Amino acid sequence: MTMGIALAICCSGLSSHASMQKPQLSDGPAFSDNHKTLVCLNTFQPFGYGLSIGPPGSAVYDEDPFRNGGSDQAVMPKSRLALINSSGFDCLRMVVDVGALMSARSETLLDALVAQIMIGISRRVDSGLRVIVDIHPFPRGAHPVSGFADVDLLDGETGEKFQRLIHVVSKLAISIGARFPPALVAVELFNEPPSPTSFNGQRPWNEQIEFYWKQIRLILPTHTLIVAGTGFAELDGSVSGDSSAGVVNLRPDRFDANTGYAIHPYESATFTHQGYAGFFSHVGGLEFPAAMDRDGKLAAENTFRRNVAADPNLNRSAKSQLIYDFLYRTVHSYSFEKYRTTFGNAELLLKRMNVVNTWADLHRLSRKQIMNTEFGVNRDQAGCVGKAPSKSAFNFVRAIRDNSFASGIGLITIHQMQGDCFAISSAAPPFAFEADMLEALRLPGR
């Protein structure tokens, strides 16, 4: 008996939650709370990175890919789900590597993988948590299996990959609609659409997401569907430097009142991603609130200079360009000065939040339709050095939390449960949360 057939048999009796809870009447979408901003937790394991076989570039998905970190029961035992609930979280954002579904070699295997996800959702709902099912393609090069990156899937309404994406998400949506009420489960259609330049020669993102949304809306007429703008779900292009990016460039008249609009306020990534492999790996010790005195500025700038100078992978020209961009081009979207003047304290971040609030009000959207489905800080902690200082990470998370609650948006989602330097809990039993991060979110437990 193959794994796919076995799973299909074992999961065929999965009970329905559809009659357990009716959506509450609200001035916002079905997946919201009329009285507060929901606090959610981003989780990659076990569904977020499908396991693969072979070296990068020629790797293929394993036949049973959703075992990232172990089985769901091992990664998310009942005790851990209970701890997440009792710590004060309202919901989990359940990252799903959609490439693992799209590459399924048969409908039987696809159905079995969907059944695995349904069991995962059911276990989380049974624990008292709401669930955002996050359809999560990764940027090119971020996963060993090629061909399923964000840009690969955006080949337009008649494109092979785009049609396959709609097919597998439709299957997932059918199962969600049959089992879970709209108040408990929402679907985020596409994590972090890439930069607008990725659509050169392709159908514009707005046309693709509107078409995609319509297809899933036919299947899920009363569940909240969440959409995002380009520039990796940014607000308005101030981070990427592209004025056509962000949620404010979506067209709300093409959606409905039960649509959520995702934002990922990593503002600025120069701070939130400092020390992260790649573009921001040379940044370290950058504070929040941003240091405005001369000595405070020089400390982070000198760290940057030293790290750039010591990088053996950069030639002399590349080093000079990086130092110029980050330290001397004051209008450069990732420069230290841009960080200080546009993003570097709670008041500035509130102004940024008000850009989206104003956009929502202009289009007569409920503030509950604005949904922060991912934010966090790459920070100093056990095993992580040279990232954001712990106190600065606390201050940033607190600012996002308080500004979001004051704005009355639908939800915020901290990145992430475990796995890297963004983590806010331990990877091993008893899976304890870091007390300072719960305090920053004003979640003392309940």
Side-chain angles (χ1 to χ4, degrees):
M1 182 181 291
T2 67
M3 184 278 303
I5 294 173
L7 279 173
I9 292 173
C10 82
C11 300
S12 60
L14 185 65
S15 62
S16 170
H17 295 254
S19 61
M20 290 175 54
Q21 178 177 329
K22 294 181 180 179
Q24 296 178 351
L25 294 176
S26 171
D27 65 348
F31 194 87
S32 64
D33 190 307
N34 218 10
H35 306 292
K36 69 170 186 174
T37 296
L38 302 175
V39 181
C40 308
L41 176 64
N42 201 41
T43 58
F44 271 92
Q45 292 182 322
F47 302 101
Y49 283 103
L51 296 183
S52 59
I53 302 170
S58 60
V60 296
Y61 281 104
D62 186 88
E63 190 171 87
D64 186 8
F66 293 138
R67 291 173 288 113
N68 173 26
S71 69
D72 188 38
Q73 288 80 4
V75 174
M76 280 288 197
K78 287 183 178 180
S79 60
R80 189 174 205 184
L81 290 168
L83 176 62
I84 293 169
N85 192 345
S86 65
S87 296
F89 290 98
D90 301 293
C91 55
L92 292 179
R93 184 181 186 236
M94 193 169 143
V95 174
V96 175
D97 181 355
V98 72
L101 300 175
M102 293 176 64
S103 67
R105 69 180 187 281
S106 68
E107 288 300 293
T108 299
L109 180 56
L110 174 59
D111 289 342
L113 295 177
V114 169
Q116 273 192 333
I117 294 169
M118 289 303 109
I119 292 174
I121 298 171
S122 186
R123 294 185 67 244
R124 288 150 180 77
V125 168
D126 286 344
S127 74
L129 295 161
R130 306 186 195 209
V131 174
I132 299 171
V133 180
D134 165 36
I135 307 305
H136 201 104
F138 295 95
R140 184 167 287 170
H143 191 58
V145 181
S146 61
F148 300 98
D150 49 9
V151 293
D152 296 322
L153 310 188
L154 302 173
D155 51 359
E157 296 173 14
T158 60
E160 180 181 354
K161 288 289 180 69
F162 193 62
Q163 283 294 315
R164 180 65 176 169
L165 171 69
I166 291 175
H167 175 70
V168 303
V169 176
S170 294
K171 283 217 162 187
L172 196 59
I174 290 168
S175 293
I176 289 171
R179 291 176 173 86
F180 304 103
L184 296 182
V185 178
V187 180
E188 190 169 355
L189 293 178
F190 199 101
N191 173 68
E192 296 192 345
S195 66
T197 57
S198 301
F199 297 89
N200 292 341
Q202 300 278 20
R203 295 293 294 273
W205 169 246
N206 277 349
E207 294 181 17
Q208 296 202 51
I209 187 57
E210 289 161 11
F211 178 84
Y212 177 17
W213 176 90
K214 286 179 183 177
Q215 309 315 303
I216 308 305
R217 176 55 82 214
L218 291 173
I219 300 167
L220 292 175
T222 58
H223 285 71
T224 300
L225 303 179
I226 304 172
V227 299
T230 56
F232 304 98
E234 66 178 315
L235 278 62
D236 66 350
S238 292
V239 171
S240 67
D242 192 319
S243 62
S244 64
V247 70
V248 298
N249 282 293
L250 292 173
R251 302 185 289 197
D253 59 304
R254 310 299 174 92
F255 303 106
D256 62 22
N258 199 15
T259 300
Y261 296 90
I263 56 172
H264 290 182
Y266 291 107
E267 299 215 325
S268 163
T270 309
F271 168 75
T272 63
H273 282 59
Q274 61 185 293
Y276 194 76
F279 196 51
F280 303 103
S281 58
H282 306 99
V283 183
L286 196 61
E287 298 177 359
F288 185 93
M292 301 306 292
D293 62 285
R294 181 178 179 276
D295 290 342
K297 291 180 182 180
L298 286 176
E301 291 177 1
N302 287 337
T303 295
F304 183 78
R305 284 191 179 91
R306 286 195 301 270
N307 290 342
V308 170
D311 191 338
N313 298 312
L314 297 176
N315 61 33
R316 187 173 181 177
S317 175
K319 291 178 180 181
S320 296
Q321 187 64 50
L322 266 180
I323 290 172
Y324 175 67
D325 285 342
F326 274 77
L327 303 186
Y328 296 107
R329 283 182 63 198
T330 58
V331 297
H332 179 51
S333 57
Y334 294 123
S335 72
F336 281 37
E337 189 61 26
K338 184 75 169 180
Y339 164 64
R340 293 187 187 104
T341 58
T342 306
F343 311 103
N345 60 51
E347 292 75 22
L348 290 171
L349 290 186
L350 181 57
K351 288 182 180 180
R352 300 286 302 130
M353 189 70 238
N354 283 337
V355 170
V356 181
N357 294 337
T358 299
W359 172 81
D361 295 347
L362 176 66
H363 290 281
R364 299 188 177 183
L365 303 176
S366 165
R367 293 278 182 90
K368 297 296 183 187
Q369 290 179 257
I370 305 304
M371 298 182 172
N372 172 353
T373 57
E374 188 178 315
F375 82 105
V377 183
N378 198 44
R379 63 194 178 90
D380 287 338
Q381 52 181 300
C384 299
V385 179
K387 320 302 182 186
S390 296
K391 183 61 177 177
S392 291
F394 175 97
N395 291 338
F396 178 84
V397 170
R398 172 62 60 85
I400 293 290
R401 185 269 179 210
D402 287 355
N403 289 343
S404 299
F405 272 63
S407 297
I409 68 172
L411 57 89
I412 61 173
T413 308
I414 187 73
H415 180 68
Q416 67 171 325
M417 180 180 69
Q418 68 179 70
D420 58 23
C421 298
F422 284 87
I424 68 166
S425 77
S426 62
F431 303 117
F433 285 104
E434 294 205 19
D436 62 336
M437 285 293 103
L438 293 183
E439 185 182 349
L441 293 164
R442 300 190 189 275
L443 292 180
R446 62 182 184 215

